[in-house]
Amino acid sequence: MGEGRGTIGSINLSRKDDEEEVNISGHVHQLPCCIKFDGHCSVSHYFKPRPTDIEVDGLRVEEAYFRGRKLQGTSISLPNGYSGFVLGKKSLGKRKFCDDASEGNTNCWEMKAKFDKLAYWNHESLPSKDDAFVRCFHWFAVAEAVSFSFLYGAIL
Amino acid sequence: MVSEAPLPEWATEPCIMGIDEAGRGPVLGPMVYGCLYCARSYQDTLATLNFADSKTLKEEKREELFENLKADESLRWAVDVIDPRELSSKMLKRNKINLNEISHDSAIGLITRVLGMGVLLTEVYLDTVGDADKYRIKLSERFPSIKFVVAKKADSLYPVVSGASIVAKVTRDRALQEWVLEETAENMHRKFGSGYPGDPDTKAWLDHHKHSVFGFPTLVRFSWGTCTSYSKDMVDVLWESDKTDEDGGSNSSGKRQLKLSNVGFTSSKRKTEEIESSAKGRCKFFQARKLEQLTHF
């Protein structure tokens, strides 16, 4: 795995004029588990976060249950200037936009939805500034200092 | 939930208390611990009140006895309603808390509460949970001033425990009847039945309310064996906390990490579940943040 066999792909973050941007801020949940399912699901009917009185590192703790487990999480905003994207493979009908059109090998992605806020959830511990997920954001500062031009180029 | 204050005069006399549970076996709904207490001098009268093990009584009779008991100024009661969400989550934690421990804690909580109100408890009677002797010793160490009688079938042997079993059972039945489902999906209904896994109504309810991703509504005790039999109808969910058990220290480099970021990329050649982490050789900065460069997606 990861022997440097990179694949060339493209990600299209622009939207067509006739389509409204789907903003799913507040509906994105990062769970401490792997759900082996990919598709539509009535999340808001079943996943019911509730506020608590607890606050850690200035983070308001919420609680929710999933598959019988108690999750403790918090809502965070993405740093200024950054957005989260839900990407999907382009549908076959739009294949002409792709570089590589051979069957099963298309690697063209497009933006399906966008978000600037999400909730992440821990199973055994209260959310805190020490969580790996929150600390991921440190990377932004490092990346900007080291190779902002590269990062910028990658998105284009 | 406690019967109304203030403290009755008899509470400063030596008092006896019975503790019993309802809804330990069912696959759904809360488990209720109830207690009933009175002055020891009232014990003889108590025996004439026809309290019997709540399981042997019809529902109407239980309701009637509960009303009598509430009206009786020589009796007081309290309950601890343990939410099914709490039962499931405690039993599914990495450091699992089993049902016996939850039961012990509930009984201890009731005793603490009643003592805290200023009632002079000198004798407490309860049904055994787990080994009777061990349970009695645990309670006696915790409350040295109280004499504990832990016995099998205490609910049919001691009227004060029978009374507690009525308190618990009626509370559990009402809690289930009045249960408001947290979930808002369509076509949900509240014909839960008794909640016992063998009850056809309960089975039908579980069948109707199972969900491939969420499992069941949170009314259900996910930690019950009954739920496992439905797992074939549900998608697998792998938990970080279930994975790291084997290899102890969480800092050992190159250990297998559960990959969560790959969910959804099922068309990829990489396995969507556990894969060998490529953390090896990665800078600590990235390891600590579980950041990885993705070359295939």
Side-chain angles (χ1 to χ4, degrees), chain B residues 59 62-63 66 165-175:
Chain B
E59 190 181 337
R62 277 199 305 265
E63 294 276 349
F66 186 48
S165 82
I166 291 167
V167 170
K169 178 72 176 151
V170 172
T171 306
R172 146 98 189 163
D173 288 350
R174 287 185 185 172

Side-chain angles (χ1 to χ4, degrees), chain B residues 12-294:
Chain B
T12 49
E13 288 177 42
C15 290
I16 60 166
M17 178 157 97
I19 299 179
D20 201 27
E21 133 288 316
R24 185 180 160 89
V27 64
L28 54 80
M31 176 166 84
V32 175
Y33 260 78
C35 71
L36 181 75
Y37 55 99
C38 62
R40 195 165 57 194
S41 56
Y42 193 65
Q43 208 165 0
D44 292 341
T45 320
L46 189 67
T48 65
L49 298 179
N50 296 320
F51 294 155
D53 170 12
S54 68
K55 288 190 276 298
T56 66
L57 299 169
K58 287 220 171 72
E59 190 181 337
E60 305 80 64
K61 186 67 184 166
R62 277 199 305 265
E63 294 276 349
E64 183 195 318
L65 288 169
F66 186 48
E67 292 308 316
N68 294 349
L69 170 161
K70 283 200 286 188
D72 192 327
E73 289 185 354
S74 303
L75 293 171
R76 284 289 169 104
W77 58 278
V79 289
D80 180 26
V81 179
I82 307 164
D83 194 283
R85 283 167 285 229
E86 188 182 333
L87 293 172
S88 305
S89 60
K90 283 192 168 159
M91 293 170 77
L92 291 171
K93 275 170 76 164
R94 187 184 328 206
N95 297 318
K96 294 174 175 47
I97 306 175
N98 67 36
L99 195 60
N100 283 0
E101 255 178 286
I102 296 173
S103 302
H104 290 179
D105 289 347
S106 181
I108 289 169
L110 284 171
I111 297 166
T112 309
R113 206 199 295 173
V114 172
L115 282 176
M117 285 159 49
V119 178
L120 180 60
L121 285 181
T122 54
E123 287 167 43
V124 173
Y125 296 79
L126 56 177
D127 221 330
T128 189
V129 173
D131 182 83
D133 252 351
K134 280 190 192 146
Y135 190 22
R136 186 181 50 76
I137 292 164
K138 180 177 177 178
L139 291 166
S140 303
E141 281 173 356
R142 186 75 188 253
F143 304 102
S145 63
I146 300 174
K147 179 194 157 202
F148 284 96
V149 179
V150 180
K152 267 186 189 164
K153 301 211 162 103
D155 50 354
S156 51
L157 291 172
Y158 306 101
V160 74
V161 183
S162 309
S165 82
I166 291 167
V167 170
K169 178 72 176 151
V170 172
T171 306
R172 146 98 189 163
D173 288 350
R174 287 185 185 172
L176 201 54
Q177 275 161 24
E178 292 160 14
W179 194 269
V180 180
L181 285 168
E182 199 179 13
E183 293 72 19
T184 45
E186 275 172 40
N187 296 320
M188 304 188 94
H189 64 76
R190 294 170 56 256
K191 295 186 200 94
F192 316 122
S194 63
Y196 281 97
D199 183 331
D201 286 343
T202 300
K203 274 188 193 165
W205 188 87
L206 288 172
D207 266 329
H208 183 76
H209 290 82
K210 68 188 176 200
H211 187 284
S212 64
V213 172
F214 292 95
F216 290 103
T218 53
L219 170 70
V220 174
R221 303 175 185 175
F222 285 74
S223 44
W224 255 239
T226 319
C227 295
T228 327
S229 60
Y230 284 91
S231 56
K232 62 180 185 311
D233 301 324
M234 290 163 194
V235 300
D236 283 340
V237 172
L238 308 169
W239 292 86
E240 275 180 336
S241 62
D242 290 349
K243 284 290 160 187
T244 45
D245 279 358
E246 300 134 28
D247 51 6
S250 55
N251 288 324
S252 55
S253 64
K255 95 187 162 77
R256 292 165 81 80
Q257 263 186 1
L258 183 65
K259 286 289 298 176
L260 301 175
S261 51
N262 277 353
V263 188
F265 297 111
T266 42
S267 55
S268 144
K269 280 178 205 136
R270 302 171 76 162
K271 275 199 256 169
T272 50
E273 39 180 312
E274 199 189 31
I275 60 153
E276 201 73 42
S277 165
S278 53
K280 245 183 209 165
R282 264 194 288 155
C283 166
K284 272 224 169 87
F285 178 90
F286 297 114
Q287 283 185 23
R289 289 162 182 80
K290 295 185 181 171
L291 281 169
E292 186 185 348
Q293 190 180 10
L294 209 60

Side-chain angles (χ1 to χ4, degrees), chain A residues 5-141:
Chain A
R5 294 186 305 112
T7 14
I8 300 211
S10 68
I11 299 171
N12 181 8
L13 295 180
S14 64
R15 64 199 142 90
K16 273 135 252 106
D17 298 333
D18 54 335
E19 284 172 30
E20 234 179 86
E21 187 174 282
V22 188
N23 193 315
I24 52 169
S25 296
H27 298 280
V28 183
H29 299 281
Q30 154 87 18
L31 299 193
C33 58
C34 171
I35 304 166
K36 300 188 73 183
F37 175 76
D38 184 11
H40 286 277
C41 189
S42 47
V43 175
S44 57
H45 283 308
Y46 284 88
F47 192 70
K48 305 278 190 184
R50 276 185 299 204
T52 68
D53 299 332
I54 310 166
E55 210 177 285
V56 183
D57 298 339
L59 304 166
R60 279 165 189 269
V61 179
E62 297 175 64
E63 62 174 45
Y65 292 86
F66 179 65
R67 289 274 181 118
R69 311 212 184 199
K70 183 180 176 176
L71 308 179
Q72 292 170 304
T74 191
S75 293
I76 49 176
S77 296
L78 298 181
N80 246 338
Y82 290 87
S83 290
F85 297 99
V86 177
L87 303 179
K89 284 240 162 152
K90 283 195 172 180
S91 52
L92 290 175
K94 293 168 185 167
R95 228 202 289 177
K96 57 184 172 185
F97 294 111
C98 295
D99 308 309
D100 183 357
S102 65
E103 199 61 51
N105 200 24
T106 51
N107 202 20
C108 300
W109 302 79
E110 61 184 1
M111 194 228 315
K112 300 285 185 195
K114 192 177 173 180
F115 57 93
D116 48 34
K117 241 167 61 183
L118 59 81
Y120 81 93
W121 299 89
N122 290 345
H123 175 211
E124 301 277 345
S125 56
L126 284 165
S128 84
K129 284 249 184 320
D130 296 328
D131 287 326
F133 192 77
V134 181
R135 294 174 73 202
C136 275
F137 294 159
H138 299 167
W139 166 246
F140 295 141

Side-chain angles (χ1 to χ4, degrees), chain A residues 136-154:
Chain A
C136 275
F137 294 159
H138 299 167
W139 166 246
F140 295 141
V142 177
E144 273 175 39
V146 171
S147 60
F148 181 76
S149 57
F150 168 74
L151 204 76
Y152 194 63

